[in-house]
Amino acid sequence: MLYSSTTGIGQDLVLLHGWGFNSELFNDLVEKYKHQYRITKIDLPGHGRSDEVNGGLNEWCDEIIKILPNNPTLLGWSLGGLLAINIANKVSISKLILVASTPNFVRTDNWEFGIGANNFEQFSDSLQLNLSKGLKRFVSLQTKDKTQIKHLNQTIDNYPATTQALNQGLNILLKTNLIKTLESLSVEKEVILGKNDTLVPNKIAKWYQQNNIKTQLLNTGHLPFLCDDFLL
């Protein structure tokens, strides 16, 4: 069973977090928008307070779909963006918002907007050696707000992901290519990127724009929703 929490009034907005983290990451965003949206935040399988789910991308998405409200705006950050694209291809949603995300995280001969698979694996290996320490260092590079950092560090310690879920999530990041899927979606789409993001190269903004997807590029890193300029 997956953990979810719903707050606020208005149109349904669902938040999907990224690899290794949990939905508490979105607490400030929920506070900011709870008077405009009815916000549901979900812990991904094996992350936070959610049970593990065997399988990969489709199995994870099928579990999330079970607890989605009808026709929501679906926001996916990082790994959550891949899940959101796949979910939008399975069920009806009103809008897709990708935050610091891409339909393919790994660079190939035909896709220049990712990072090298070896670099990705080295990054993940260094995190998994000491996940808590690695995620905290990652957060400290994304924001200088000490209160924000303290809160995020607490959520990392309180709700760690399981080893199985980390391996599944990494496999999804490394093996998933949803470029054609994203291009085929007729739903309204929006993308919010960080100019200084080291995992999602900002040059992908041009590709999104060429595909008629509204794109914001903020002066921040891989956690744009922590930036004061972040607007839905």
Side-chain angles (χ1 to χ4, degrees), residues 21 24 34 58 76 86 105-106 112 117 123 140 149 160 200 214:
F21 286 90
E24 297 297 296
K34 66 182 181 181
N58 283 311
N86 197 46
F105 275 83
V106 178
E112 62 177 306
F123 171 75
S140 72
I149 291 173
V200 179
K214 179 183 176 184

Side-chain angles (χ1 to χ4, degrees), residues 25-94:
L25 188 73
F26 292 125
N27 282 355
D28 287 348
L29 192 63
V30 171
E31 283 300 308
K32 185 176 179 179
Y33 284 101
K34 66 182 181 181
H35 299 298
Q36 293 175 240
Y37 296 95
R38 182 174 179 264
I39 305 173
T40 299
K41 57 181 187 177
I42 299 172
D43 283 347
L44 300 185
H47 290 69
R49 291 142 290 192
S50 286
D51 294 335
E52 293 177 338
V53 173
N54 291 329
L57 176 69
N58 283 311
E59 288 77 12
W60 278 26
C61 289
D62 290 343
E63 285 300 309
I64 293 168
I65 287 169
K66 291 177 183 177
I67 58 174
L68 282 186
N70 289 331
N71 204 38
T73 293
L74 187 56
L75 182 153
W77 166 65
S78 196
L79 167 61
L82 281 178
L83 301 177
I85 294 169
N86 197 46
I87 290 168
N89 194 44
K90 290 171 173 275
V91 298
S92 175
I93 67 169
S94 63

Side-chain angles (χ1 to χ4, degrees), residues 127-144:
L127 280 181
Q128 291 195 63
L129 284 173
N130 187 327
L131 182 66
S132 175
K133 184 177 179 180
L135 291 179
K136 287 175 182 177
R137 181 176 183 277
F138 180 70
V139 165
S140 72
L141 296 175
Q142 311 302 318
T143 177
K144 301 304 178 188

Side-chain angles (χ1 to χ4, degrees), residues 14 27 37 64 79 82 90 95 101 108 150 154 173 212 217 219 229:
V14 175
N27 282 355
Y37 296 95
I64 293 168
L79 167 61
L82 281 178
K90 290 171 173 275
K95 183 177 181 180
S101 195
T108 67
K150 182 179 179 181
Q154 286 174 341
L173 287 166
N212 299 312
L217 190 58
N219 188 27
D229 295 334

Side-chain angles (χ1 to χ4, degrees), residues 65-219:
I65 287 169
K66 291 177 183 177
I67 58 174
L68 282 186
N70 289 331
N71 204 38
T73 293
L74 187 56
L75 182 153
W77 166 65
S78 196
L79 167 61
L82 281 178
L83 301 177
I85 294 169
N86 197 46
I87 290 168
N89 194 44
K90 290 171 173 275
V91 298
S92 175
I93 67 169
S94 63
K95 183 177 181 180
L96 175 65
I97 303 175
L98 303 179
V99 179
S101 195
T102 160
N104 185 357
F105 275 83
V106 178
R107 185 172 65 245
T108 67
D109 291 342
N110 301 315
W111 180 254
E112 62 177 306
F113 307 113
I115 62 175
N118 288 339
N119 290 341
F120 212 113
E121 289 172 343
Q122 288 171 9
F123 171 75
S124 65
D125 287 347
S126 66
L127 280 181
Q128 291 195 63
L129 284 173
N130 187 327
L131 182 66
S132 175
K133 184 177 179 180
L135 291 179
K136 287 175 182 177
R137 181 176 183 277
F138 180 70
V139 165
S140 72
L141 296 175
Q142 311 302 318
T143 177
K144 301 304 178 188
D145 185 322
K146 291 182 179 179
T147 302
Q148 225 169 37
I149 291 173
K150 182 179 179 181
H151 164 68
L152 294 174
N153 286 349
Q154 286 174 341
T155 69
I156 290 166
D157 286 335
N158 291 342
Y159 305 111
T162 69
T163 300
Q164 176 182 318
L166 292 172
N167 289 332
Q168 289 171 295
L170 180 61
N171 191 60
I172 292 170
L173 287 166
L174 284 171
K175 302 292 176 60
T176 302
N177 181 343
L178 294 177
I179 297 169
K180 296 298 184 185
T181 302
L182 181 61
E183 289 174 336
S184 70
L185 292 176
S186 58
V187 69
E188 180 184 357
K189 298 179 281 287
E190 182 176 351
V191 173
I192 305 172
L193 302 170
K195 192 180 297 183
N196 307 312
D197 195 334
T198 55
L199 295 177
V200 179
N202 63 44
K203 62 184 178 182
I204 196 177
K206 185 176 291 186
W207 181 85
Y208 280 128
Q209 290 162 347
Q210 288 171 347
N211 282 275
N212 299 312
I213 299 174
K214 179 183 176 184
T215 305
Q216 296 182 53
L217 190 58
L218 304 182
N219 188 27

